Every structure is written in structure tokens, then in C-alpha cells.
Amino acid sequence: MSDSSEWEVDIKGNFPLHKAVVKVMPRGTEIASAESCGISTWTKTAKISVILEDGTRKRYFLKCATGQGARPLVEGEFHSASAIDAVVQGLVPKPAGWGEYANGKTQIYFFLADFHDMDFSAAPNPEHLMSRIADLHRRGTSPTGLFGFPIPTVCGKMERTVIWEKSWAKSFTHQLKDVIKYDNETNGQWVEYDAACQQLIDGVIPRLLGALQSDGREITPALIHGDLWERNIGIDMETGATVLFDPGSTYAHNEMEFGPWRCTWAFYLNSPIYMRLYQRHIEPSEPVDEWDDRNRLYSIHPYLNDSAGHAGSFSRQIAYNDMLYLCEKYAPLGCLEKYDREKDVSVTGAYVPTDIEVLMQVYT
């Protein structure tokens, strides 16, 4: 540990608390305790109990990250949560700040927000959840009118390219290229896979996503959570409200939000009731009959993100088969392998737990 004068002393709990964290809290805040809290794949997390200057007791949630993507993870989450909270208050824990400090030779980046005691075992009320998500997508309008985000954000720990683009096809291509690169760095080159990736970028995306902004059709960039799946949704134990957390936002086509809901690890969000209720608020984009194919395309991003974060993950094989399906339908290329219906989880209904679920089973 670095100089002891940089750390809070005489507080309860097992989590060392740097004074840089306290500086983003309101002036006059007194720290009562700092305790490890929760399970996270990429970060260390804690619950900070404090007494504010007026005597009010309050709890904060602290997330600390190091290594690859650490700064965009916490800075991006702060700006994502701030943008979401500005348009739909209470949908995410209110962000308090972010910052950095050194612990010896290690640079640590942190994010601080209000703490919510949450239940993760219960599925949220579908009507309430989808109404709130629809509110986010309607009200969260791009400050530039373009697709992108003011600063880099992450999905998992993988930084995404979010430069401003008028074309949604170009914007999504940037993000897909990111996860393809990360996946290859983790799992190595695969000739057939690389060919399918290239055809997806060169042929499928311009056709399938380009159709959203051609022949008189337009879509409006919408603020999305960006990493919305069951383990980033909780029920507040005190209020019963649904709370989303761990956002890595971008202004995107609103339908991109639902790519993870097609993935093998979805266990209630893949229920048709959620999407049906959402579409009562926001109808599918035109061409409507290509909604499912767009959803398949959007699911490739979280699949490859998962593969990049977990060497040997079966997610790569699933994404590859989905690429073959889309290439055969929208941009056929004779040298590619054939799509295999028996490997299509949207047909077979296979369920594969994520690493974080395995961890939760171990520690609960």
C-alpha cells in the first residue's frame, strides 16, 4: 500500500479506502465503514457507509478497476449513468463521481454512486421495466444528432469506439470491429471465422443496417444502457423499484439494446412478453420484417465481447454460426462455410450460464 496518509484510518470494515474517493463526496462527509460488497468479474466493489455534514446517514457503492479498459470503464460508467439519470431519474443509481489514485505502482480508477440493496433473484415486472426502458430510448436524444457518445465507454471491460457518425451502419461497424479484434487477441486467428467477419462488415451490415436509413427511412439516435442483461438488473429491496446498473452507453439504434436478450445466458429477458410490451411503446423500425435479423446481428456483439473476456468460450462458435446465417441471407459468398441450424440456439433453445453466474453459485 502507498503512503498511509493517503488512506482513511480508524474506520470499520475490510476495504481500504483512499482519500481520493472521499473527495468526490459532499464536503464534511464522515466515513463510518468500508466493506467489500458484491461479486464482479472485472472490478473490486465495496459499500461505503457515511454520515453527511447534516447528520444524515448515507451509503455509497464503490467500484475500483485496474488494467485494460479501467479508465473508460469507470469514467464511461459515470457519464453513462449521468446521462441516463438526467432523462429517467431513479432508473440507475445516482452517480456521485469518478477518479483515480495510485496504490504503489498500480493506478486505480474508481466510480462512486448511491448504494441500493438489491434482489437479483426475482424478475422485474415486465410492464414497468419496458415502460422505463422505452422512456430512456425516447427521451435520451443525442446532443449532436449523431450516433456515438462524447467519451469512450465499455461493454464488460472492452472499450468501444463511439466516434460520432451520421450513419448507423458505420457506427455499429466500429463497435463490431472492436470486439472482433479483442476476440482474436484472446482466442487467436481463425481463417474461416475471419472471412465471415469480413463479409459481415462488407456485405451484411451495409445491407441490413443501411436499410434503416435509405429509401426515405430514418432512425433517431437513442440513448441505450449498452450492457443490459439480467445480472445488470435488480429490484430495490426498500422501494421495490427496478434498478439498472453497469451502463456503458452510446447513442445508437434503440434495437441494439436487446441484442444480449437473444444470447444463451438470457433466462427471463428472452421471454416474448418483454419485447411485446416494449413494442407497445416503440414500434420496430422499418423494414419491420427484418427485426429478427437485426436482433441476431446485434447479438453477435455481446457474444464476441463474452468470447474476448473468456478464452475458449462457446460464444465464439455461436456468433460464427449467426454470421453464416446472415451472410447466406444478405451477402452470399461461396467460400464461406454453411450455416448449421442444429447449432442455432434461437432454434434449439440452449442455455449456457455465464462465468458470473457460476461465481454467484459458489459464493451464495
Side-chain angles (χ1 to χ4, degrees):
M1 187 177 291
S2 55
D3 186 349
S4 60
S5 66
E6 298 175 352
W7 300 83
E8 289 292 318
V9 296
D10 298 328
I11 61 174
K12 296 179 180 179
N14 60 357
F15 195 94
L17 188 65
H18 198 278
K19 290 182 178 179
V21 177
V22 182
K23 286 182 180 179
V24 305
M25 298 178 185
R27 180 176 295 182
T29 298
E30 178 185 342
I31 308 300
S33 65
E35 304 172 74
S36 296
C37 179
I39 301 169
S40 174
T41 305
W42 314 118
T43 63
K44 293 182 178 180
T45 54
K47 177 176 65 176
I48 314 300
S49 298
V50 307
I51 302 173
L52 301 180
E53 191 172 31
D54 64 1
T56 303
R57 292 186 177 273
K58 183 179 179 64
R59 295 177 297 176
Y60 287 105
F61 172 80
L62 175 65
K63 175 185 293 185
C64 297
T66 60
Q68 177 189 355
R71 176 167 180 159
L73 189 155
V74 301
E75 183 181 15
E77 181 168 355
F78 172 75
H79 287 281
S80 298
S82 297
I84 293 171
D85 187 64
V87 294
V88 186
Q89 288 188 359
L91 185 58
V92 296
K94 182 173 287 295
W98 76 280
E100 62 182 291
Y101 60 87
N103 185 4
K105 295 182 179 180
T106 302
Q107 198 68 12
I108 297 175
Y109 297 87
F110 68 87
F111 166 70
L112 190 72
D114 284 358
F115 180 87
H116 290 257
D117 187 12
M118 289 188 279
D119 175 17
F120 302 105
S121 63
N125 177 279
E127 187 172 0
H128 176 71
L129 174 64
M130 302 319 294
S131 173
R132 299 279 276 172
I133 293 174
D135 283 345
L136 171 65
H137 293 170
R138 276 196 304 251
R139 298 176 186 173
T141 55
S142 169
T144 64
L146 304 176
F147 298 97
F149 203 68
I151 63 164
T153 59
V154 305
C155 181
K157 67 173 181 177
M158 309 301 171
E159 183 175 344
R160 41 166 132 230
T161 299
V162 288
I163 58 176
W164 296 112
E165 292 282 6
K166 183 177 182 180
S167 162
W168 168 238
K170 288 183 179 179
S171 182
F172 182 75
T173 296
H174 292 317
Q175 297 185 53
L176 190 66
K177 285 182 175 179
D178 289 338
V179 290
I180 290 170
K181 177 176 72 75
Y182 296 140
D183 178 49
N184 278 332
E185 289 172 352
T186 298
N187 293 296
Q189 299 291 121
W190 174 13
V191 175
E192 293 82 2
Y193 165 80
D194 290 342
C197 288
Q198 197 60 52
Q199 186 63 0
L200 194 74
I201 290 168
D202 293 342
V204 174
I205 292 176
R207 162 58 186 86
L208 186 56
L209 299 189
L212 295 165
Q213 294 176 287
S214 63
D215 298 328
R217 291 182 289 264
E218 290 293 338
I219 54 173
T220 301
L223 179 63
I224 65 172
H225 175 283
D227 191 13
L228 191 58
W229 63 298
E230 285 93 341
R231 294 306 180 194
N232 284 345
I233 302 174
I235 309 297
D236 188 290
M237 298 281 278
E238 294 181 6
T239 67
T242 299
V243 180
L244 315 183
F245 54 97
D246 281 356
S249 294
T250 180
Y251 293 96
H253 182 211
N254 62 298
E255 292 176 10
M256 184 183 174
E257 190 83 275
F258 309 114
W261 299 17
R262 190 189 191 97
C263 294
T264 56
W265 51 80
F267 56 94
Y268 64 73
L269 289 176
N270 56 3
S271 172
I273 187 63
Y274 287 95
M275 193 50 54
R276 181 170 296 182
L277 288 170
Y278 175 83
Q279 290 174 352
R280 289 181 182 177
H281 298 280
I282 301 178
E283 295 181 351
S285 300
E286 294 285 351
V288 175
D289 60 352
E290 294 178 359
W291 184 93
D292 190 68
D293 291 334
R294 293 193 297 267
N295 185 246
R296 186 186 294 264
L297 174 62
Y298 293 147
S299 76
I300 290 173
H301 185 279
Y303 271 134
L304 294 186
N305 193 74
D306 178 70
S307 179
H310 308 97
S313 167
F314 192 63
S315 292
R316 194 186 209 201
Q317 294 281 350
I318 297 171
Y320 175 57
N321 196 50
D322 282 340
M323 291 179 198
L324 296 177
Y325 173 92
L326 293 169
C327 287
E328 285 183 15
K329 186 170 183 178
Y330 292 98
L333 190 64
C335 65
L336 296 180
E337 292 186 311
K338 297 298 182 182
Y339 155 76
D340 188 343
R341 180 180 171 85
E342 297 303 314
K343 295 180 180 178
D344 188 338
V345 297
S346 65
V347 174
T348 65
Y351 172 76
V352 180
T354 61
D355 283 5
I356 190 66
E357 289 179 85
V358 175
L359 281 172
M360 292 182 75
Q361 291 169 5
V362 171
Y363 289 102
T364 58

